[in-house]
Amino acid sequence: MNNARPFDFLNNAIGKTVLVRVKGQKEYRGTLKAFDVHMNLVLDEAEELENEQVVRKLGVLVVRGDNILFVSPSL
Amino acid sequence: MNNARPFDFLNNAIGKTVLVRVKGQKEYRGTLKAFDVHMNLVLDEAEELENEQVVRKLGVLVVRGDNILFVSPSL
Amino acid sequence: MNNARPFDFLNNAIGKTVLVRVKGQKEYRGTLKAFDVHMNLVLDEAEELENEQVVRKLGVLVVRGDNILFVSPSL
Amino acid sequence: MNNARPFDFLNNAIGKTVLVRVKGQKEYRGTLKAFDVHMNLVLDEAEELENEQVVRKLGVLVVRGDNILFVSPSL
Amino acid sequence: MNNARPFDFLNNAIGKTVLVRVKGQKEYRGTLKAFDVHMNLVLDEAEELENEQVVRKLGVLVVRGDNILFVSPSL
Amino acid sequence: MNNARPFDFLNNAIGKTVLVRVKGQKEYRGTLKAFDVHMNLVLDEAEELENEQVVRKLGVLVVRGDNILFVSPSL
Amino acid sequence: MNNARPFDFLNNAIGKTVLVRVKGQKEYRGTLKAFDVHMNLVLDEAEELENEQVVRKLGVLVVRGDNILFVSPSL
């Protein structure tokens, strides 16, 4: 059995680009700088996307964990 | 009486393909790699589906447990 | 006074067909295999229904308790 | 001062017909059989109502407390 | 400094008519009989209102605190 | 570093007019009389606003903290 | 490994302009004065924005953490 946990995957994604989807159709893409036990995330050089198109540049972003649908480290 | 619990079924699904439905019409299908007590899940080679059609390939996906409607290990 | 609790009714429904309604118009019908204190449920041979019509066969289903509106053991 | 609490009113309604309104326009009417500290309820001979019209007979119903708007013992 | 707390105002409203607004456009007006620490309320001789018009008489009503937007003791 | 906390700002607003926005487009303006650790608030001489227009006078109002988006002491 | 946490980024933003997005399309921009462990924030000289346009000046604003989607210190 593999004992890796979801937060281990977030930890491995530190310093890499991640795609974060929140409730309400928005996604944020940026470099994962930090996270905590509530899945609050910090992204750097973050962009806001809608329908996979960049709609805004946001720089540093503290994303609240509560409203996250998924975090994808591979895009 | 059977003492199996819902998380035992998740544990048995590790390494297998699962279908995950979240709030807001989206589903994600991929190989279940990990989960935790909050039902946060990690899928590998994940695809996003809408109306049972694949709309996007996402690779590794950390899905937040809060917003999950169901996890189905058999599809 | 009757001391039965809601979870006793779920316990008595183990092995029987139940109908589960979740937020957002969907219902799931299947054989109740397991549940836990969060009302997370496992259904076997589950079907998804909309407006009381079967729309999909899903096999084993782990339904998250948070988003359940009701569980009906008698249908 | 009256020291009765909301759960005392539920306790007094055991064995009587209650009307339960949940989020999303649905109501359920049936005989209150059991409840717990989360306001999870069990109704017997339950009917589903929409706009005060019976739309479905459901038999035994375990209603999740989280999504309840009100319970009315007098209808 | 005034040390009164919101629940003191509810306590003072026991036996008086209150207006309760819940999520989803509905309001309930009745005599406040009881409340608890979750802000679950019991109203007597309750009426349901929409757009400030009475749409239904409901008698005794146990209103779940979670979904309350406000309680107004003065109407 | 400044050690003031959000609740200190609420405490300083006691006796002053505040504007409170809740989920679902409604705002309430009145004199802040009391609050607690859940951000439940009591307003006196409260008015309900929609699109910044007063739509109703409500007198005393106990606003549930859960559904508050913001409290603004300066309007 | 970097041990910074999301709240360290908020702490570093004290005294600086931040953009806060909440559920329901609204954003608030102002000087971050304070925050707490629930991510409740205090903004000074706050403006309300919709579609990136200022729609209202609000002065001091206590924003409830629960309903925050993101906080961006760099705009």
Side-chain angles (χ1 to χ4, degrees), chain D residues 42-74:
Chain D
V42 180
L43 303 184
D44 197 10
E45 298 182 50
E47 301 171 312
E48 185 175 68
L49 298 99
E50 229 177 299
N51 300 317
E52 301 180 53
Q53 304 301 310
V54 176
V55 293
R56 200 163 40 151
K57 306 260 181 194
L58 286 160
V60 174
L61 210 60
V62 180
V63 183
R64 190 169 165 98
D66 274 2
N67 298 312
I68 289 174
L69 288 172
F70 71 68
V71 183
S72 178
S74 51

mmCIF file of all heavy atoms in Angstrom, chain D residues 42-74:
data_model
loop_
_atom_site.group_PDB
_atom_site.id
_atom_site.type_symbol
_atom_site.label_atom_id
_atom_site.label_comp_id
_atom_site.label_asym_id
_atom_site.label_seq_id
_atom_site.Cartn_x
_atom_site.Cartn_y
_atom_site.Cartn_z
ATOM 1 N N VAL D 42 -36.152 11.163 11.087
ATOM 2 C CA VAL D 42 -36.751 10.040 10.373
ATOM 3 C C VAL D 42 -38.257 10.270 10.307
ATOM 4 O O VAL D 42 -38.901 10.507 11.330
ATOM 5 C CB VAL D 42 -36.475 8.693 11.072
ATOM 6 C CG1 VAL D 42 -37.131 7.547 10.287
ATOM 7 C CG2 VAL D 42 -34.982 8.462 11.193
ATOM 8 N N LEU D 43 -38.785 10.240 9.093
ATOM 9 C CA LEU D 43 -40.219 10.337 8.866
ATOM 10 C C LEU D 43 -40.734 8.991 8.369
ATOM 11 O O LEU D 43 -40.039 8.305 7.612
ATOM 12 C CB LEU D 43 -40.535 11.394 7.800
ATOM 13 C CG LEU D 43 -40.032 12.807 8.033
ATOM 14 C CD1 LEU D 43 -40.539 13.723 6.923
ATOM 15 C CD2 LEU D 43 -40.458 13.327 9.394
ATOM 16 N N ASP D 44 -41.940 8.651 8.767
ATOM 17 C CA ASP D 44 -42.571 7.445 8.243
ATOM 18 C C ASP D 44 -43.761 7.860 7.371
ATOM 19 O O ASP D 44 -44.338 8.921 7.572
ATOM 20 C CB ASP D 44 -43.042 6.571 9.408
ATOM 21 C CG ASP D 44 -43.329 5.129 8.947
ATOM 22 O OD1 ASP D 44 -42.978 4.788 7.799
ATOM 23 O OD2 ASP D 44 -43.896 4.373 9.745
ATOM 24 N N GLU D 45 -44.094 7.020 6.390
ATOM 25 C CA GLU D 45 -45.190 7.312 5.460
ATOM 26 C C GLU D 45 -45.028 8.721 4.885
ATOM 27 O O GLU D 45 -45.970 9.511 4.848
ATOM 28 C CB GLU D 45 -46.545 7.175 6.145
ATOM 29 C CG GLU D 45 -46.789 5.744 6.657
ATOM 30 C CD GLU D 45 -48.162 5.586 7.294
ATOM 31 O OE1 GLU D 45 -49.138 5.998 6.642
ATOM 32 O OE2 GLU D 45 -48.238 5.059 8.420
ATOM 33 N N ALA D 46 -43.802 8.993 4.450
ATOM 34 C CA ALA D 46 -43.466 10.350 3.997
ATOM 35 C C ALA D 46 -43.941 10.601 2.571
ATOM 36 O O ALA D 46 -43.910 9.715 1.717
ATOM 37 C CB ALA D 46 -41.958 10.568 4.084
ATOM 38 N N GLU D 47 -44.343 11.844 2.351
ATOM 39 C CA GLU D 47 -44.725 12.313 1.022
ATOM 40 C C GLU D 47 -43.845 13.508 0.678
ATOM 41 O O GLU D 47 -43.517 14.316 1.558
ATOM 42 C CB GLU D 47 -46.169 12.809 1.020
ATOM 43 C CG GLU D 47 -47.187 11.781 1.441
ATOM 44 C CD GLU D 47 -48.575 12.396 1.625
ATOM 45 O OE1 GLU D 47 -48.706 13.450 2.288
ATOM 46 O OE2 GLU D 47 -49.521 11.805 1.079
ATOM 47 N N GLU D 48 -43.491 13.637 -0.574
ATOM 48 C CA GLU D 48 -42.746 14.805 -1.047
ATOM 49 C C GLU D 48 -43.744 15.800 -1.636
ATOM 50 O O GLU D 48 -44.611 15.409 -2.426
ATOM 51 C CB GLU D 48 -41.759 14.366 -2.120
ATOM 52 C CG GLU D 48 -40.850 15.463 -2.603
ATOM 53 C CD GLU D 48 -39.803 14.915 -3.578
ATOM 54 O OE1 GLU D 48 -40.192 14.504 -4.687
ATOM 55 O OE2 GLU D 48 -38.606 14.873 -3.214
ATOM 56 N N LEU D 49 -43.561 17.066 -1.259
ATOM 57 C CA LEU D 49 -44.469 18.109 -1.744
ATOM 58 C C LEU D 49 -43.699 19.189 -2.480
ATOM 59 O O LEU D 49 -42.553 19.504 -2.129
ATOM 60 C CB LEU D 49 -45.214 18.769 -0.575
ATOM 61 C CG LEU D 49 -46.131 17.856 0.252
ATOM 62 C CD1 LEU D 49 -45.430 17.403 1.520
ATOM 63 C CD2 LEU D 49 -47.433 18.560 0.578
ATOM 64 N N GLU D 50 -44.334 19.763 -3.453
ATOM 65 C CA GLU D 50 -43.818 20.941 -4.136
ATOM 66 C C GLU D 50 -44.995 21.888 -4.319
ATOM 67 O O GLU D 50 -46.045 21.462 -4.796
ATOM 68 C CB GLU D 50 -43.204 20.540 -5.482
ATOM 69 C CG GLU D 50 -41.828 21.153 -5.656
ATOM 70 C CD GLU D 50 -41.151 20.722 -6.923
ATOM 71 O OE1 GLU D 50 -40.923 19.507 -7.080
ATOM 72 O OE2 GLU D 50 -40.856 21.597 -7.751
ATOM 73 N N ASN D 51 -44.806 23.139 -3.926
ATOM 74 C CA ASN D 51 -45.913 24.102 -3.950
ATOM 75 C C ASN D 51 -47.155 23.545 -3.257
ATOM 76 O O ASN D 51 -48.271 23.698 -3.737
ATOM 77 C CB ASN D 51 -46.244 24.494 -5.398
ATOM 78 C CG ASN D 51 -45.068 25.121 -6.083
ATOM 79 O OD1 ASN D 51 -44.377 25.950 -5.488
ATOM 80 N ND2 ASN D 51 -44.799 24.722 -7.321
ATOM 81 N N GLU D 52 -46.916 22.866 -2.139
ATOM 82 C CA GLU D 52 -47.990 22.321 -1.285
ATOM 83 C C GLU D 52 -48.798 21.194 -1.938
ATOM 84 O O GLU D 52 -49.807 20.770 -1.399
ATOM 85 C CB GLU D 52 -48.909 23.447 -0.764
ATOM 86 C CG GLU D 52 -48.089 24.469 0.043
ATOM 87 C CD GLU D 52 -48.911 25.611 0.595
ATOM 88 O OE1 GLU D 52 -49.911 25.334 1.273
ATOM 89 O OE2 GLU D 52 -48.547 26.774 0.348
ATOM 90 N N GLN D 53 -48.332 20.683 -3.066
ATOM 91 C CA GLN D 53 -48.973 19.529 -3.711
ATOM 92 C C GLN D 53 -48.098 18.298 -3.504
ATOM 93 O O GLN D 53 -46.878 18.379 -3.668
ATOM 94 C CB GLN D 53 -49.106 19.756 -5.237
ATOM 95 C CG GLN D 53 -49.855 21.009 -5.617
ATOM 96 C CD GLN D 53 -51.267 21.040 -5.059
ATOM 97 O OE1 GLN D 53 -52.017 20.086 -5.200
ATOM 98 N NE2 GLN D 53 -51.633 22.129 -4.386
ATOM 99 N N VAL D 54 -48.717 17.156 -3.187
ATOM 100 C CA VAL D 54 -47.976 15.895 -3.064
ATOM 101 C C VAL D 54 -47.490 15.476 -4.448
ATOM 102 O O VAL D 54 -48.293 15.387 -5.385
ATOM 103 C CB VAL D 54 -48.862 14.782 -2.457
ATOM 104 C CG1 VAL D 54 -48.104 13.451 -2.435
ATOM 105 C CG2 VAL D 54 -49.300 15.167 -1.045
ATOM 106 N N VAL D 55 -46.186 15.251 -4.596
ATOM 107 C CA VAL D 55 -45.658 14.822 -5.893
ATOM 108 C C VAL D 55 -45.161 13.376 -5.880
ATOM 109 O O VAL D 55 -44.924 12.782 -6.925
ATOM 110 C CB VAL D 55 -44.529 15.752 -6.405
ATOM 111 C CG1 VAL D 55 -45.099 17.127 -6.734
ATOM 112 C CG2 VAL D 55 -43.392 15.876 -5.407
ATOM 113 N N ARG D 56 -44.984 12.804 -4.659
ATOM 114 C CA ARG D 56 -44.403 11.464 -4.590
ATOM 115 C C ARG D 56 -44.615 10.881 -3.195
ATOM 116 O O ARG D 56 -44.554 11.607 -2.218
ATOM 117 C CB ARG D 56 -42.900 11.573 -4.862
ATOM 118 C CG ARG D 56 -42.240 10.325 -5.278
ATOM 119 C CD ARG D 56 -40.865 10.510 -5.928
ATOM 120 N NE ARG D 56 -39.996 11.505 -5.348
ATOM 121 C CZ ARG D 56 -38.655 11.423 -5.399
ATOM 122 N NH1 ARG D 56 -38.064 10.408 -6.007
ATOM 123 N NH2 ARG D 56 -37.920 12.366 -4.885
ATOM 124 N N LYS D 57 -44.844 9.586 -3.105
ATOM 125 C CA LYS D 57 -44.886 8.849 -1.833
ATOM 126 C C LYS D 57 -43.523 8.211 -1.625
ATOM 127 O O LYS D 57 -43.005 7.577 -2.564
ATOM 128 C CB LYS D 57 -45.954 7.742 -1.874
ATOM 129 C CG LYS D 57 -47.344 8.213 -2.264
ATOM 130 C CD LYS D 57 -48.222 8.385 -1.062
ATOM 131 C CE LYS D 57 -49.620 8.840 -1.471
ATOM 132 N NZ LYS D 57 -50.387 9.333 -0.330
ATOM 133 N N LEU D 58 -42.945 8.365 -0.430
ATOM 134 C CA LEU D 58 -41.584 7.873 -0.225
ATOM 135 C C LEU D 58 -41.428 6.874 0.921
ATOM 136 O O LEU D 58 -40.349 6.332 1.117
ATOM 137 C CB LEU D 58 -40.638 9.051 0.012
ATOM 138 C CG LEU D 58 -40.323 9.863 -1.242
ATOM 139 C CD1 LEU D 58 -39.810 11.231 -0.890
ATOM 140 C CD2 LEU D 58 -39.307 9.130 -2.107
ATOM 141 N N GLY D 59 -42.436 6.650 1.717
ATOM 142 C CA GLY D 59 -42.293 5.695 2.828
ATOM 143 C C GLY D 59 -41.385 6.241 3.917
ATOM 144 O O GLY D 59 -41.514 7.390 4.313
ATOM 145 N N VAL D 60 -40.424 5.420 4.387
ATOM 146 C CA VAL D 60 -39.486 5.876 5.429
ATOM 147 C C VAL D 60 -38.457 6.811 4.800
ATOM 148 O O VAL D 60 -37.970 6.561 3.695
ATOM 149 C CB VAL D 60 -38.785 4.681 6.094
ATOM 150 C CG1 VAL D 60 -37.713 5.167 7.064
ATOM 151 C CG2 VAL D 60 -39.810 3.814 6.833
ATOM 152 N N LEU D 61 -38.124 7.875 5.519
ATOM 153 C CA LEU D 61 -37.214 8.890 4.992
ATOM 154 C C LEU D 61 -36.271 9.346 6.098
ATOM 155 O O LEU D 61 -36.732 9.784 7.148
ATOM 156 C CB LEU D 61 -38.060 10.081 4.529
ATOM 157 C CG LEU D 61 -37.587 10.946 3.394
ATOM 158 C CD1 LEU D 61 -37.436 10.118 2.126
ATOM 159 C CD2 LEU D 61 -38.582 12.060 3.133
ATOM 160 N N VAL D 62 -34.960 9.228 5.878
ATOM 161 C CA VAL D 62 -33.980 9.825 6.788
ATOM 162 C C VAL D 62 -33.581 11.155 6.154
ATOM 163 O O VAL D 62 -32.959 11.181 5.093
ATOM 164 C CB VAL D 62 -32.746 8.912 6.968
ATOM 165 C CG1 VAL D 62 -31.750 9.557 7.923
ATOM 166 C CG2 VAL D 62 -33.169 7.527 7.474
ATOM 167 N N VAL D 63 -33.981 12.275 6.774
ATOM 168 C CA VAL D 63 -33.711 13.602 6.232
ATOM 169 C C VAL D 63 -32.488 14.177 6.937
ATOM 170 O O VAL D 63 -32.442 14.214 8.169
ATOM 171 C CB VAL D 63 -34.914 14.558 6.437
ATOM 172 C CG1 VAL D 63 -34.644 15.914 5.807
ATOM 173 C CG2 VAL D 63 -36.192 13.943 5.869
ATOM 174 N N ARG D 64 -31.512 14.623 6.152
ATOM 175 C CA ARG D 64 -30.293 15.169 6.760
ATOM 176 C C ARG D 64 -30.570 16.555 7.360
ATOM 177 O O ARG D 64 -31.109 17.443 6.692
ATOM 178 C CB ARG D 64 -29.198 15.253 5.698
ATOM 179 C CG ARG D 64 -27.864 15.585 6.324
ATOM 180 C CD ARG D 64 -26.723 15.426 5.354
ATOM 181 N NE ARG D 64 -25.555 16.072 5.887
ATOM 182 C CZ ARG D 64 -24.572 15.454 6.539
ATOM 183 N NH1 ARG D 64 -24.615 14.149 6.700
ATOM 184 N NH2 ARG D 64 -23.556 16.142 7.029
ATOM 185 N N GLY D 65 -30.150 16.752 8.606
ATOM 186 C CA GLY D 65 -30.453 17.984 9.334
ATOM 187 C C GLY D 65 -29.852 19.238 8.723
ATOM 188 O O GLY D 65 -30.475 20.306 8.712
ATOM 189 N N ASP D 66 -28.654 19.130 8.201
ATOM 190 C CA ASP D 66 -27.926 20.262 7.598
ATOM 191 C C ASP D 66 -28.740 21.105 6.637
ATOM 192 O O ASP D 66 -28.530 22.307 6.524
ATOM 193 C CB ASP D 66 -26.767 19.738 6.740
ATOM 194 C CG ASP D 66 -25.532 19.487 7.512
ATOM 195 O OD1 ASP D 66 -25.554 19.682 8.732
ATOM 196 O OD2 ASP D 66 -24.535 19.067 6.893
ATOM 197 N N ASN D 67 -29.558 20.445 5.864
ATOM 198 C CA ASN D 67 -30.211 21.121 4.755
ATOM 199 C C ASN D 67 -31.659 21.478 5.043
ATOM 200 O O ASN D 67 -32.392 21.910 4.161
ATOM 201 C CB ASN D 67 -30.098 20.249 3.507
ATOM 202 C CG ASN D 67 -28.646 20.045 3.134
ATOM 203 O OD1 ASN D 67 -27.895 21.006 3.081
ATOM 204 N ND2 ASN D 67 -28.247 18.814 2.925
ATOM 205 N N ILE D 68 -32.041 21.317 6.315
ATOM 206 C CA ILE D 68 -33.415 21.632 6.726
ATOM 207 C C ILE D 68 -33.557 23.136 6.954
ATOM 208 O O ILE D 68 -32.699 23.768 7.576
ATOM 209 C CB ILE D 68 -33.773 20.845 8.002
ATOM 210 C CG1 ILE D 68 -33.939 19.357 7.661
ATOM 211 C CG2 ILE D 68 -35.032 21.405 8.679
ATOM 212 C CD1 ILE D 68 -34.162 18.453 8.860
ATOM 213 N N LEU D 69 -34.646 23.714 6.437
ATOM 214 C CA LEU D 69 -34.979 25.109 6.731
ATOM 215 C C LEU D 69 -35.896 25.198 7.951
ATOM 216 O O LEU D 69 -35.680 26.006 8.831
ATOM 217 C CB LEU D 69 -35.647 25.779 5.519
ATOM 218 C CG LEU D 69 -34.708 26.053 4.355
ATOM 219 C CD1 LEU D 69 -35.494 26.540 3.139
ATOM 220 C CD2 LEU D 69 -33.662 27.117 4.730
ATOM 221 N N PHE D 70 -36.943 24.379 7.989
ATOM 222 C CA PHE D 70 -37.801 24.345 9.175
ATOM 223 C C PHE D 70 -38.464 22.986 9.325
ATOM 224 O O PHE D 70 -38.560 22.204 8.358
ATOM 225 C CB PHE D 70 -38.839 25.467 9.163
ATOM 226 C CG PHE D 70 -39.962 25.339 8.167
ATOM 227 C CD1 PHE D 70 -40.945 24.353 8.266
ATOM 228 C CD2 PHE D 70 -40.071 26.254 7.130
ATOM 229 C CE1 PHE D 70 -41.993 24.269 7.356
ATOM 230 C CE2 PHE D 70 -41.119 26.175 6.204
ATOM 231 C CZ PHE D 70 -42.079 25.166 6.319
ATOM 232 N N VAL D 71 -38.930 22.709 10.543
ATOM 233 C CA VAL D 71 -39.765 21.550 10.863
ATOM 234 C C VAL D 71 -41.010 22.117 11.534
ATOM 235 O O VAL D 71 -40.896 22.869 12.501
ATOM 236 C CB VAL D 71 -39.061 20.589 11.842
ATOM 237 C CG1 VAL D 71 -39.935 19.355 12.093
ATOM 238 C CG2 VAL D 71 -37.692 20.187 11.335
ATOM 239 N N SER D 72 -42.176 21.765 11.005
ATOM 240 C CA SER D 72 -43.410 22.282 11.591
ATOM 241 C C SER D 72 -44.272 21.116 12.063
ATOM 242 O O SER D 72 -44.767 20.331 11.257
ATOM 243 C CB SER D 72 -44.169 23.123 10.561
ATOM 244 O OG SER D 72 -45.383 23.575 11.129
ATOM 245 N N PRO D 73 -44.459 21.000 13.377
ATOM 246 C CA PRO D 73 -45.210 19.875 13.918
ATOM 247 C C PRO D 73 -46.711 20.006 13.756
ATOM 248 O O PRO D 73 -47.441 19.061 14.007
ATOM 249 C CB PRO D 73 -44.864 19.890 15.419
ATOM 250 C CG PRO D 73 -43.729 20.836 15.560
ATOM 251 C CD PRO D 73 -43.819 21.799 14.420
ATOM 252 N N SER D 74 -47.198 21.125 13.280
ATOM 253 C CA SER D 74 -48.649 21.303 13.373
ATOM 254 C C SER D 74 -49.435 21.098 12.088
ATOM 255 O O SER D 74 -50.637 21.306 12.065
ATOM 256 C CB SER D 74 -48.952 22.693 13.924
ATOM 257 O OG SER D 74 -48.255 23.652 13.184
#
